Amino acid sequence: MSESDPLLLRAARGESVERPPVWMMRQAGRYMKVYRELRDRHPSFRERSENPELSYEISMQPFEAFQPDGVILFSDILTPLPGMGIEFDIVESKGPLIQDPIKTLDQIKNLRPLEPQQSMSFVGEVLGRLRNSVGNKAAVLGFVGAPWTLAAYVVEGKSSKNYAVIKAMAFQEPELLHKLLDHFAKSIATYLRYQIDSGAQVVQMFDSWAGQLSPIDYDTFAAPYQKKVVELLKETHPDTPVILYISGSAGVIERMGNTGVDIVSLDWTVDMADGCRRLPKHIGIQGNVDPGLLFGTPEAIRSRIVDAVLKAKGRKHILNLGHGILPGTPEENAKVFFEAGKGVNDLIRAVT
Ligand code: CP3
């Protein structure tokens, strides 16, 4: 609780702040020219995200370009999988591919509990370096994938349109899926503890594909494991703010608020005012600007930021997009987003 803590950390704790902090999901990546140039020199995603020099350099690219209030580790939600015995790759224009998708109880029994100090020391190194570099100018963010979304990848074997394979498992052999989800929940909690011990000050859990579940199944396959991760983490790290993001979450917003997380990250299909009304006052809010808006004019971007900030007034709020920034987004529009976010008080004065 010090004056000199970064704005995003103070805001996430619920302290009163001069303006909402701003960062972007997927703020490092393909829309940036420096990233594409580095990718040409290092075509393997696993190398870019697991070589600490490269992961550090990429994490810092958006900070150097735009000075966001948060710097997120450059990594992927799938990065812990090899440490549990599941090999993957990310293939250009195809996305994630799992070598040996999980189908049987034997495969689940053979999974190892994650020991991040052993299998992922590169992450600890990068987070420590990021903390040293950004000091109090930005908060360092860690992140993980939630059990349901990780299970969706390892059972489907790749990105999916309709999630038929994992739903077949859910509705034919639920005990099998529950064992897998439970394994992930424990390992992911261990991983989050490691990220925080290494320098992460705020952490986000991505349950990106939990919005594919009916609420009744969200309550069975997603929420209990989100809760388990949060409970295990809070036992040892009660003061680190936790954010939960789901894509397509409009049907489960109230449920997200009941998982024990501190902040709910909304996508853009719900109005910010409605999202706030549907969550108790003590839950903070992040989001929910349409990433597609960054293909629009600077005026359009600014006016939606003002709209989001005014509607979230009175509760803890972190300004962000409603999902990751899209490849092909003009970099100058990312700059407009960050500048408008930082200058939002002036923009509001100008319109009221
Ligand atoms: O926010 C950041 O800047 C940190 C980087 C980050 C990446 N992945 C890097 C990445 C984060 C936070 C993620 C999380 C992630 N990964 C999620 C949750 C967030 C979300 O978007 O819902 C998911 C579902 C994944 C799985 C994954 N990894 C997908 C669907 C893809 C995209 C495939 C594609 O080609 O579009 C990836 C690959 C990936 N992870 C890229 C990046 C920058 C793109 C590939 C590349 O740069 O070569």
Side-chain angles (χ1 to χ4, degrees):
M1 310 278 146
S2 116
E3 272 289 300
S4 61
D5 280 338
L7 174 69
L8 194 152
L9 179 57
R10 288 186 280 124
R13 282 187 191 131
E15 294 173 32
S16 88
V17 286
E18 48 283 19
R19 63 167 172 88
V22 53
W23 70 285
M24 266 186 212
M25 290 185 256
R26 295 282 186 96
Q27 65 189 17
R30 285 172 292 189
Y31 76 100
M32 290 187 85
K33 186 158 174 280
V34 280
Y35 178 81
R36 294 194 301 272
E37 286 168 356
L38 185 147
R39 189 185 58 171
D40 291 341
R41 297 193 299 277
H42 301 279
S44 153
F45 183 87
R46 293 278 307 264
E47 187 199 357
R48 292 197 296 283
S49 53
E50 296 175 29
N51 172 321
E53 295 296 325
L54 295 178
S55 164
Y56 169 81
E57 184 179 341
I58 298 169
S59 307
M60 289 296 284
Q61 285 176 345
F63 183 70
E64 277 151 13
F66 312 117
Q67 295 80 50
D69 295 303
V71 172
I72 185 162
L73 167 75
F74 184 78
S75 182
D76 198 87
I77 58 166
L78 306 179
T79 303
L81 294 179
M84 295 182 243
I86 305 170
E87 276 305 320
F88 80 99
D89 207 350
I90 290 181
V91 181
E92 187 61 38
S93 81
K94 281 212 179 108
L97 289 180
I98 307 296
Q99 223 161 62
D100 215 353
I102 302 245
K103 296 186 172 65
T104 65
L105 183 60
D106 273 351
Q107 281 174 297
I108 297 170
K109 282 190 178 148
N110 284 332
L111 293 178
R112 296 191 296 272
L114 188 70
E115 294 182 65
Q117 287 88 342
Q118 265 84 59
S119 58
M120 307 188 75
S121 61
F122 53 90
V123 164
E125 190 181 329
V126 176
L127 287 168
R129 284 184 65 183
L130 291 174
R131 254 306 264 296
N132 272 332
S133 298
V134 303
N136 62 9
K137 293 198 282 295
V140 173
L141 290 135
F143 72 91
V144 291
W148 164 262
T149 292
L150 291 178
Y153 280 106
V154 307
V155 172
E156 297 275 340
K158 54 184 175 12
S159 296
S160 174
K161 275 207 180 66
N162 50 23
Y163 299 87
V165 186
I166 190 166
K167 288 193 180 177
M169 187 185 274
F171 302 135
Q172 285 181 28
E173 304 175 282
E175 343 51 64
L176 204 61
L177 184 54
H178 281 295
K179 283 202 171 67
L180 179 62
L181 292 166
D182 194 64
H183 183 94
F184 282 151
K186 291 179 198 140
S187 284
I188 286 307
T190 307
Y191 183 34
L192 277 173
R193 289 171 172 166
Y194 177 67
Q195 292 188 15
I196 296 165
D197 292 342
S198 304
Q201 294 161 295
V202 176
V203 294
Q204 176 155 327
M205 180 155 64
F206 287 96
D207 211 349
S208 302
W209 312 139
Q212 297 289 328
L213 289 164
S214 297
I216 186 175
D217 300 313
Y218 175 86
D219 288 342
T220 308
F221 297 109
Y225 300 97
Q226 296 164 355
K227 282 185 194 159
K228 181 156 184 175
V229 171
V230 177
E231 269 167 30
L232 287 170
L233 176 63
K234 296 269 177 188
E235 277 173 17
T236 49
H237 297 71
D239 298 327
T240 302
V242 181
I243 308 169
L244 174 63
Y245 174 78
I246 296 177
S247 173
S249 62
V252 294
I253 291 173
E254 292 83 356
R255 287 170 162 83
M256 291 173 80
N258 284 330
T259 54
V261 300
D262 304 283
I263 296 166
V264 165
S265 192
L266 297 175
D267 72 13
W268 63 95
T269 63
V270 64
D271 188 80
M272 183 58 110
D274 296 334
C276 288
R277 256 195 300 279
R278 291 170 58 186
L279 288 164
K281 268 276 170 195
H282 69 278
I283 301 281
I285 208 123
Q286 179 179 265
N288 69 336
V289 179
D290 179 357
L293 200 70
L294 299 193
F295 292 98
T297 62
E299 295 69 37
I301 298 168
R302 289 187 197 110
S303 82
R304 287 301 172 78
I305 287 177
V306 166
D307 180 65
V309 170
L310 286 176
K311 285 174 175 163
K313 244 197 166 41
R315 70 162 77 211
K316 55 181 164 181
H317 176 212
I318 298 172
L319 181 63
N320 203 322
L321 298 174
H323 203 167
I325 184 170
L326 294 163
T329 299
E331 282 187 66
E332 60 272 21
N333 281 351
K335 187 162 186 237
V336 169
F337 181 84
F338 285 115
E339 283 180 357
K342 293 172 144 194
V344 74
N345 291 339
D346 290 336
L347 294 176
I348 289 173
R349 264 193 292 276
V351 295
T352 49

